[in-house]
Amino acid sequence: MTSEHANDRLTLPLAATPIVFLVALLACSVFLFGSDASYGPNQIALVLATCVAALVGYRTGLGWDAAQAGMVDGIGVGLGPTLILLAVGMLIGTWILGGTVPAMIYYGVQILDPRVFYAASAVLCAIVALSIGSSWTVAGTLGIGLMGIAGTFSLSPAITAGAIVSGAYFGDKMSPMSDTTNLAAASGGVDLFDHIRHMVWTTAPAFCLALVIFAFLGSGDAAEPAQIARLTDSLQQEFAIGPHLLLPLLLMLYLVYRRFPAYPAIVLSALAGGLVAIIFQPEQVLRLAGETPGGSVAAYGKGLWMALADGYQSESGNADLDALLSKGGMSSMLNTVWLILCALGFGGVLERTGVLNYWLEVALRGVRSTGSLVATTVATCFTTNVLAADQFISVALPGRMFRRAYIARGLSPLNLSRTLEDSATITSALIPWNTCGAYMSATLGVATASYAPFAFFNIACPLIAIAYGFLHFAQKPLESEDGRIAGKH
């Protein structure tokens, strides 16, 4: 039975049951386990809520095989991002072992002024994300280095992560090479570059507002120059620092810029980091492998393998440096993968049972004006991000559902495609179990709930979109094929 047929038999209590159940379990999880809720308890809540959703499907005539197929399809949507996440774990491990991340920290603290560090980080990430079209790549490369620099300056990791996420998503959203930008344009049935130009109305003021806030946050508690000098000295003692160590980063950015697929690009860059480690940091490779200097070829292979699997373990004797550099490896991402799989399974069942479509249709019933239409679109995209745990679903499903509603109100589909980006794309990084929120948290080493209040761009964008809707500002009218505004002669 398809989700459309099941949807005909859904009632309000049935459609609400799995959602209410999940919210209640997640609330209990946070109450009982606090910041450790994402390390198992939330996953249990998602699995149990998935079972409840399957029971709702059974009640409406959907068999177990169909419900299980929904779970598999939902998880299938996230397998590509999951592979990328695991590859980023490998990359972090070898880039620290090879000295790439230490070099980024070493040169970064000499270039970036701690007084404007947050704003500068957002701008830097925005520029790179705009050029390569990938917020994930920016977080997994520049983001790692910027988090290390922030640690060196004794700056807030939560605010730094918020600045990285803000800049990365600004650039991703405005880049013609971004997959979500292309998906939003396709969902609205509009030209890609018309879509990007129309997004400037909401995106530019949101990013400017974020930069102003980051600039005023200040860094009065930044580390003293002597403290920074001690840390950079420790870096030089543990690694042979030099600009050549940045070659893996340059390779990564070049491959993505040339539209090389993300997964093999990250794996190749991780291996490049391993090669740099063997050539320029042989002592660290052997130490990680538990071997003495002058070890065999097998010992070097073992050290590299360990960095790929379990990351790097710093033993410099400098507690601050050890905390900065002891991370990475594929294994460091397994908890996040666990969370993503459970969340996507739940979202897949909701879609197969028709619960998602049911609530999308309910949302449309409350539309009475342009402002309420935009606000409903934003709320629907955010809710879909919460329930389906994937930004692509959150762009595509509401895009299909709301297109006719925008046309019926005499609004160009460009307003829809822009709102999809202002909400579905942008808010995905603010939800802990969404693929994007989980990825950013795992990569930057900061809990989603900790950095989300400081992701000012991601918060401002949907609010500005809603305000524009109620003010009837920057709402492009629907035009007929001859270019005249529809309904006017």
Side-chain angles (χ1 to χ4, degrees), residues 67-101:
Q68 181 173 268
M71 294 181 211
V72 172
D73 289 344
I75 292 172
V77 171
L79 288 181
T82 298
L83 289 174
I84 293 174
L85 183 63
L86 294 173
V88 167
M90 297 165 55
L91 179 141
I92 294 172
T94 60
W95 278 24
I96 295 177
L97 177 65
T100 300
V101 170

Side-chain angles (χ1 to χ4, degrees), residues 366-391:
V367 172
R368 297 290 183 271
S369 65
T370 298
S372 64
L373 177 59
V374 173
T376 300
T377 306
V378 170
T380 301
C381 290
F382 178 77
T383 303
T384 307
N385 256 329
V386 170
L387 298 177
D390 183 79
Q391 66 175 348

Side-chain angles (χ1 to χ4, degrees), residues 48-288:
L48 293 178
T50 302
C51 295
V52 172
L55 289 174
V56 169
Y58 179 79
R59 179 67 178 80
T60 60
L62 192 73
W64 168 251
D65 288 343
Q68 181 173 268
M71 294 181 211
V72 172
D73 289 344
I75 292 172
V77 171
L79 288 181
T82 298
L83 289 174
I84 293 174
L85 183 63
L86 294 173
V88 167
M90 297 165 55
L91 179 141
I92 294 172
T94 60
W95 278 24
I96 295 177
L97 177 65
T100 300
V101 170
M104 292 169 68
I105 297 172
Y106 181 83
Y107 292 116
V109 296
Q110 299 178 42
I111 297 172
L112 292 172
D113 189 330
R115 292 171 296 182
V116 294
F117 178 77
Y118 300 131
S121 296
V123 171
L124 182 60
C125 290
I127 293 171
V128 177
L130 184 64
S131 66
I132 65 176
S134 173
S135 57
W136 283 34
T137 301
V138 169
T141 52
L142 291 179
I144 298 167
L146 289 169
M147 291 302 298
I149 295 168
T152 305
F153 284 142
S154 297
L155 297 175
S156 167
I159 300 177
T160 303
I164 292 167
V165 170
S166 292
Y169 272 84
F170 168 83
D172 188 321
K173 182 184 178 189
M174 297 302 293
S175 174
M177 293 182 285
S178 167
D179 44 11
T180 53
T181 304
N182 281 272
L183 177 60
S187 297
V190 299
D191 177 76
L192 174 62
F193 290 97
D194 288 342
H195 165 63
I196 292 174
R197 281 191 290 268
H198 198 53
M199 284 197 295
V200 173
W201 287 103
T202 54
T203 305
F207 192 60
C208 289
L209 176 62
L211 290 181
V212 169
I213 297 174
F214 284 129
F216 275 97
L217 280 177
S219 54
D221 57 348
E224 296 295 328
Q227 182 181 350
I228 296 172
R230 284 195 298 272
L231 201 58
T232 54
D233 288 343
S234 297
L235 282 171
Q236 287 183 304
Q237 291 172 12
E238 187 160 359
F239 298 94
I241 299 293
H244 54 280
L245 300 181
L246 300 176
L247 287 174
L249 171 63
L250 297 178
L251 172 65
M252 177 72 193
L253 297 178
Y254 174 77
L255 289 175
V256 178
Y257 180 76
R258 297 293 298 177
R259 304 297 291 167
F260 206 76
Y263 179 69
I266 294 172
V267 172
L268 286 174
S269 300
L271 295 177
L275 181 61
V276 167
I278 292 173
I279 296 173
F280 298 108
Q281 318 291 344
E283 296 85 359
Q284 296 303 326
V285 177
L286 292 175
R287 183 187 62 77
L288 193 63

Side-chain angles (χ1 to χ4, degrees), residues 347-360:
V349 173
L350 288 188
E351 185 173 7
R352 184 60 63 96
T353 57
V355 170
L356 278 181
N357 277 334
Y358 178 91
W359 287 111
L360 285 172

Side-chain angles (χ1 to χ4, degrees), residues 2-3 47 81 91 109 129 193 266 303 318 344 390 398 416 441:
T2 65
S3 61
V47 168
L91 179 141
V109 296
F193 290 97
I266 294 172
N318 184 317
L344 290 175
D390 183 79
L416 169 61
S441 175

